[in-house]
Amino acid sequence: MKTNNSDDGQEIELLKRIKCPSNVIDHAVAVKLKAMDVVSSLAEDAAIGVDVELVRRGALLHDIGRSITHRLDHAVEGARLARELGLDEALIGIIERHIGSGITKDEAASLGLPAMDYLPATREEKIVSYADSLTNHTTHLTFEDAFERLSRLLGKDHAALGRFRAMHEEILSWMRRN
């Protein structure tokens, strides 16, 4: 999948320079397209304060840690790498908290991740996490299809499903404002 946005060149070149696999780059471009769709759908008052450039950059770099590992800790490794590269803390927050629809401190500890909350907190973090959840490789899914896919992967009673649904409802509410 190619991006038509020439503004993406810097982030794409960074991913290539650190040897991020091409399929991960293709996925990142697909997540960026979905995230920008979400941003363009926000109601005017909800869009106030959303850093569109941060969403774009965060979507492209959210999986930077996959240049190191493809395990769940790619978010932790990605945040570490982003700090080493001197990237902005707001961007690092997106990288660190995009996994699933967020992971609580207790869940993180049980999964072998450093014990901290990986719950998207800012609107930009939520938009990128949501767009990532709605993107399977390079295919954009409906919320219902993404929810079903996540249910099959995690089990129908997993707490992440509730967080994903809540994130969906929150983002929909940003779109409905007038």
Side-chain angles (χ1 to χ4, degrees), residues 28-139:
V29 170
V31 170
K32 189 254 339 194
L33 292 171
K34 178 52 88 175
M36 300 317 291
D37 283 349
V38 170
V39 168
S40 70
S41 297
L42 296 179
E44 189 173 309
D45 65 329
I48 294 172
V50 172
D51 185 336
V52 177
E53 180 65 4
L54 178 59
V55 171
R56 185 191 68 76
R57 294 186 71 219
L60 287 168
L61 297 176
H62 77 281
D63 273 345
I64 195 170
R66 291 195 184 272
S67 65
I68 299 166
T69 181
H70 289 283
R71 297 184 317 255
L72 184 60
D73 66 341
H74 75 275
V76 174
E77 291 299 322
R80 181 188 58 74
L81 177 59
R83 285 186 181 94
E84 287 176 9
L85 293 168
L87 299 180
D88 180 80
E89 281 299 319
L91 189 56
I92 293 167
I94 290 172
I95 294 165
E96 194 164 52
R97 293 188 277 278
H98 80 275
I99 47 180
S101 293
I103 297 174
T104 66
K105 182 178 181 177
D106 290 341
E107 289 169 338
S110 72
L111 293 168
L113 297 173
M116 63 175 266
D117 279 329
Y118 297 87
L119 299 167
T122 68
R123 285 185 177 195
E124 294 84 0
E125 290 170 4
K126 290 175 183 182
I127 290 168
V128 173
S129 178
Y130 182 66
D132 188 37
S133 294
L134 294 178
T135 307
N136 182 16
H137 305 292
T138 59
T139 303

